Amino acid sequence: MKYVLVSGGVISGIGKGVIGITREVINWKVSRLIAENSLFHWSALEDYWPQAQVSSIKIDPYMNVDAGTMAPKEHGECFVLDDGGEVDLDLGNYERYLNVTLTKENNITTGKIYQQVINDERKGKYLGRTVQVVPHVTDAIVEWIERVSRIPIDDTAEEPDICIIELGGTVGDIESAPFIEAMRTLRRQAGKNNFLQIHVSLVPVIGDEQKTKPTQQAIRDVRSAGLSPDLIACRCERKLEPATVNKIAHWCQVDLEQVLAVHDLASTYHVPLLLEQQGLITSLSAILSLSTMTIKSSHSERGKRMWREWRTLTNAQDRLFDKVSIALVGKYTSLHDSYLSVEKSLQHAAMHCHRMLELIWVDAEHLEDHTQRSDPAKFHKAWHEVCTADGVIVPGGFGLRGTEGMISAARWARENRKPYLGICLGMQLAVIEFARTVCGLSDASSKEFREERGLSKSDDVANEVIIHMADIDQEVLGGTMRRGLHATVFQPGSDRSILRELYQNSKQASTGASHAVQSPAEIVPRKPLSLVTNVNGDGPALPTSILERHRHRYEVNPDFIDTLMAHGLLFTGKDEIGKRMEICELPQDEHPFYVSVQYHPEYLSRVLEPSRPYLGFVAASAGIYEDVLQQVVDGHGNIDAKDFAAQLPRRQTINAAKTPSIPTAPITKNGYI
């Protein structure tokens, strides 16, 4: 096993908060790019570059056991894995860019490590010895990494060749100290040519001059902690000047080729090419002796094919002229990382639709009545953005704040035949809106909002169309939601379902007929993106069920299903036992694309295989839904990166659906104001 450690240094004099965020962004980019360079086949090295199996581990030094209870506006998105693990958003980046399937064990936190050590002490594992940070905690970290790094990450069920370890936080933080000591131990145990460290720093531009002192200090700090970086990645808003590179190499006592410059580009998808041009492949190969690795021919061919498709698809971005505008109406829009997977999924879909994504961030509260009174400018601006966008998406979230604005956006999209996609909370609010407006249940609401509405759990509320799942703990929040991979079964009579059409011909799930979320020890890596169980194994077929990741504790109240369906809302997908509503949509002859799902399809979207709900939504918003659907059918579910975009119309066509009209006033729960 070979290890690549990605760490970050302390940068003083610029602002701790800003630098912390910057370092985290750089960290995941560089770790992703190293992994891509290991996994993908670079055209310049076709004859000898190996196609390695690459796994990833993210270390977060915070005391939380996982990311499940962290506020999105503080920590960013909580990413969910197949096994239900609620992890740092960086693991989402690893899965998307490496095309792998990870487990919750791939995210290490201080809370997990201390919890394990304390449990072992209580069981008497340490045989009466005094339990200390060194060696017991540090040994637990090393043992965890060595164990998890060997877990298969794809359908080959083979042990990975390389493990990328991202050390969160910064060298010098008190909470990072045990992990830094553990990395020093791991480097020694791994041996020569089996461990590489890349240290990430920022080169700020002050007064038109590139400053190197922060990087020099960062390298001194990491060396004083017992580690010695092999490569230094320098993030800067513009290209590093030769004098700057020379200065960093001189004062950090490294060769010029050990300094990597990562400047701003038009797209992050182009950064691998930038690093390849700077000789990253050569450095990795030399330090890790990758040329001595034995790689199966099947892995090599897969890597070559993936890289060709990646390069074709991402290079086409520079030649996109037609735009598709999407209004994202959410609760946490002040921190875009709160919806990172949603944003990436929209990008994946737009790339495959040969469109340039214009994502418009709309704070849901700005669509509500109180904003019209307190700040009319924000109110009318928000409604203008929603009304003029090509499509509206309402993602997940928790709590009452902003929900009336989301409900108003859902109603406007429904009544004006604007493509709409609701995710998790977005589905629940679409159901509430339909119950209020179409079914006449003007007080329809969710049990989740009781406390914030001044009601108690014991109060008798008439029209709660969204309720708490009976089998979910209502008191303990951490780790108690319905999480992970679950099946959604398409219902009889759903042959004309929009999502059932979009999912057809996707790859079959390698987990077979088992739809239950397994324990970590029972999980067998499945084919990434294997979502569909087809009616039969040959040729195009409508799927009977799909596998998607979930994260929710509330559901549609079964007592209101008959009423909602009688008024035209279709529940085309339910869970394995037909108890929970998973998909709701309007008939295609009534609305071009009005779809909501209880699950989170963004967690399984990939650059080369976009999420089907997102693909259909973006295609409908761009006015090319029928073209994209035909490609899905003709391509047997495998969308070719080279030919797919070329066969789409270059100009946005006028959707056959009714052209939406902009209301003269926004919508409230009681109608127009």
Side-chain angles (χ1 to χ4, degrees):
M1 176 62 64
K2 297 181 184 294
Y3 301 96
V4 176
L5 170 64
V6 182
S7 57
V10 177
I11 302 176
S12 61
I14 296 179
K16 183 178 178 181
V18 175
I19 294 308
I21 295 173
T22 302
R23 197 210 62 79
E24 288 297 329
V25 173
I26 298 169
N27 224 6
W28 76 255
K29 285 182 181 177
V30 175
S31 58
R32 159 175 58 90
L33 297 170
I34 294 172
E36 286 170 353
N37 279 274
S38 301
L39 173 68
F40 293 133
H41 176 75
W42 297 89
S43 60
L45 302 167
E46 286 187 1
D47 295 331
Y48 64 91
W49 183 251
Q51 311 307 307
Q53 294 277 83
V54 180
S55 183
S56 296
I57 293 176
K58 173 65 187 301
I59 297 175
D60 288 304
Y62 47 67
M63 285 298 297
N64 304 64
V65 173
D66 59 34
T69 57
M70 291 184 170
K73 292 180 73 172
E74 177 182 338
H75 188 71
E77 170 190 74
C78 172
F79 191 79
V80 176
L81 302 170
D82 276 6
D83 63 0
E86 296 172 299
V87 297
D88 187 85
L89 57 83
D90 284 314
L91 271 75
N93 289 315
Y94 301 153
E95 285 203 338
R96 275 188 289 272
Y97 290 100
L98 295 175
N99 201 26
V100 298
T101 301
L102 303 175
T103 73
K104 59 185 177 184
E105 302 285 89
N106 291 82
N107 192 192
I108 303 175
T109 69
T110 298
K112 284 183 180 179
I113 295 296
Y114 274 76
Q115 188 177 63
Q116 175 182 304
V117 171
I118 291 172
N119 289 339
D120 288 344
E121 187 274 331
R122 292 289 85 188
K123 295 175 183 177
K125 179 180 176 180
Y126 299 111
L127 302 176
R129 292 191 296 270
T130 301
V131 180
Q132 298 174 299
V133 173
V134 180
H136 302 103
V137 171
T138 55
D139 285 351
I141 295 169
V142 173
E143 291 169 4
W144 190 303
I145 292 173
E146 291 178 332
R147 172 177 55 85
V148 174
S149 64
R150 289 175 166 78
I151 297 177
I153 40 78
D154 59 19
D155 58 298
T156 65
E158 296 176 359
E159 183 178 303
D161 304 295
I162 300 173
C163 180
I164 310 295
I165 306 168
E166 179 184 348
L167 177 57
T170 55
V171 174
D173 291 345
I174 294 176
E175 58 266 28
S176 297
F179 294 101
I180 294 171
E181 175 62 22
M183 293 303 101
R184 190 186 64 80
T185 302
L186 179 63
R187 180 167 195 148
R188 179 177 54 82
Q189 292 182 2
K192 187 177 181 181
N193 301 128
N194 290 322
F195 192 99
L196 176 148
Q197 182 185 359
I198 179 167
H199 200 63
V200 186
S201 186
L202 180 71
V203 177
V205 178
I206 301 176
D208 203 40
E209 179 184 356
Q210 294 177 341
K211 297 292 187 179
T212 65
K213 284 293 183 182
T215 298
Q216 295 176 41
Q217 182 61 46
I219 298 302
R220 279 195 294 269
D221 287 344
V222 73
R223 284 176 176 161
S224 66
L227 294 173
S228 181
D230 301 283
L231 299 172
I232 303 172
C234 301
R235 181 70 173 89
C236 188
E237 64 187 42
R238 66 191 192 198
K239 290 183 179 181
L240 286 190
E241 299 166 359
T244 302
V245 175
N246 284 322
K247 193 173 182 180
I248 292 173
H250 174 75
W251 290 107
C252 295
Q253 295 180 318
V254 296
D255 296 331
L256 290 174
E257 57 267 24
Q258 291 177 268
V259 180
L260 303 174
V262 187
H263 60 266
D264 290 350
L265 294 172
S267 168
T268 57
Y269 299 114
H270 296 327
V271 182
L273 294 174
L274 173 65
L275 294 182
E276 189 269 340
Q277 292 167 4
Q278 298 180 59
L280 177 60
I281 299 254
T282 304
S283 298
L284 288 173
S285 200
I287 297 171
L288 294 175
S289 297
L290 295 180
S291 58
T292 62
M293 296 172 60
T294 301
I295 305 295
K296 288 186 176 182
S297 59
S298 58
H299 293 175
S300 179
E301 290 302 318
R302 181 174 62 176
K304 293 176 182 179
R305 182 177 64 255
M306 289 177 65
W307 178 242
R308 283 196 299 268
E309 294 177 358
W310 176 286
R311 185 173 50 191
T312 300
L313 188 64
T314 55
N315 285 344
Q317 276 192 302
D318 298 332
R319 300 186 293 275
L320 296 181
F321 300 101
D322 297 324
K323 293 184 178 181
V324 57
S325 59
I326 303 297
L328 188 154
V329 182
K331 298 163 63 73
Y332 318 118
T333 54
S334 59
L335 180 63
H336 293 179
D337 273 1
S338 300
Y339 302 112
L340 184 62
S341 291
V342 173
E343 181 182 5
K344 295 300 180 184
S345 298
L346 291 171
Q347 290 177 0
H348 301 163
M351 290 165 66
H352 281 266
C353 289
H354 204 62
R355 293 295 186 268
M356 183 184 299
L357 176 67
E358 182 183 355
L359 187 56
I360 305 167
W361 301 86
V362 180
D363 189 325
E365 286 190 282
H366 294 174
L367 300 173
E368 297 178 348
D369 298 350
H370 65 84
T371 303
Q372 185 182 30
R373 295 188 293 269
S374 63
D375 196 335
K378 282 185 179 179
F379 175 81
H380 291 293
K381 180 178 181 291
W383 270 107
H384 174 79
E385 290 171 337
V386 169
C387 294
T388 55
D390 297 321
V392 176
I393 182 170
V394 176
F398 297 93
L400 177 64
R401 183 182 61 82
T403 55
E404 289 301 327
M406 297 179 187
I407 290 172
S408 297
R411 178 179 178 181
W412 190 88
R414 179 181 60 81
E415 294 186 338
N416 290 276
R417 299 170 64 85
K418 179 84 71 174
Y420 174 86
L421 179 61
I423 305 295
C424 196
L425 178 65
M427 169 179 164
Q428 297 169 9
L429 296 179
V431 170
I432 292 174
E433 184 280 317
F434 193 88
R436 289 179 181 178
T437 310
V438 181
C439 301
L441 306 177
S442 60
D443 59 345
S445 186
S446 169
K447 188 173 183 177
E448 181 182 5
F449 309 148
R450 274 193 178 193
E451 185 175 339
E452 293 171 274
R453 292 167 59 201
L455 303 173
S456 68
K457 295 180 181 180
S458 59
D459 287 340
D460 185 19
V461 180
N463 292 317
E464 283 186 335
V465 296
I466 306 298
I467 59 172
H468 197 288
M469 287 185 284
D471 52 345
I472 298 297
D473 194 316
Q474 298 188 37
E475 301 297 331
V476 179
L477 298 181
T480 58
M481 285 191 244
R482 181 173 181 251
R483 299 162 292 133
L485 201 68
H486 292 276
T488 294
V489 180
F490 288 105
Q491 300 302 295
S494 63
D495 292 352
R496 287 288 295 156
S497 163
I498 292 176
L499 282 195
R500 196 172 185 183
E501 287 183 342
L502 285 167
Y503 274 114
Q504 63 186 313
N505 292 321
S506 296
K507 303 170 186 176
Q508 289 189 345
S510 61
T511 46
S514 176
H515 296 312
V517 175
Q518 301 164 303
S519 68
E522 298 172 323
I523 288 178
V524 177
R526 61 188 179 84
K527 294 180 180 179
L529 314 172
S530 298
L531 304 176
V532 178
T533 303
N534 289 327
V535 176
N536 51 59
D538 56 337
L542 288 175
T544 59
S545 65
I546 57 175
L547 290 170
E548 292 278 10
R549 295 176 181 176
H550 294 65
R551 184 177 185 250
H552 66 109
R553 64 176 79 247
Y554 295 90
E555 63 179 339
V556 179
N557 191 337
D559 295 341
F560 290 88
I561 299 302
D562 290 342
T563 300
L564 292 165
M565 293 189 69
H567 285 81
L569 189 62
L570 306 179
F571 291 94
T572 55
K574 299 182 182 180
D575 71 348
E576 308 95 309
I577 60 176
K579 176 183 177 182
R580 295 188 172 100
M581 304 303 111
E582 294 278 2
I583 301 173
C584 71
E585 53 188 282
L586 291 178
Q588 294 188 51
D589 56 355
E590 292 185 15
H591 198 289
F593 194 95
Y594 192 86
V595 173
S596 294
V597 295
Q598 185 60 70
Y599 51 83
H600 289 264
E602 63 270 18
Y603 291 148
L604 285 176
S605 185
R606 305 291 188 265
V607 178
L608 299 179
E609 183 76 20
S611 161
R612 293 301 174 85
Y614 281 90
L615 179 63
F617 168 64
V618 172
S621 300
I624 54 174
Y625 177 78
E626 294 299 328
D627 299 284
V628 170
L629 179 61
Q630 191 61 48
Q631 288 292 327
V632 169
V633 175
D634 294 345
H636 302 289
N638 297 319
I639 302 172
D640 185 81
K642 180 177 180 181
D643 299 328
F644 181 72
Q647 296 179 23
L648 294 178
R650 288 304 308 276
R651 292 191 177 185
Q652 182 172 325
T653 58
I654 298 177
N655 201 320
K658 173 184 175 183
T659 302
S661 58
I662 299 178
T664 55
I667 306 165
T668 67
K669 64 181 181 181
N670 297 318
Y672 290 97
I673 61 173

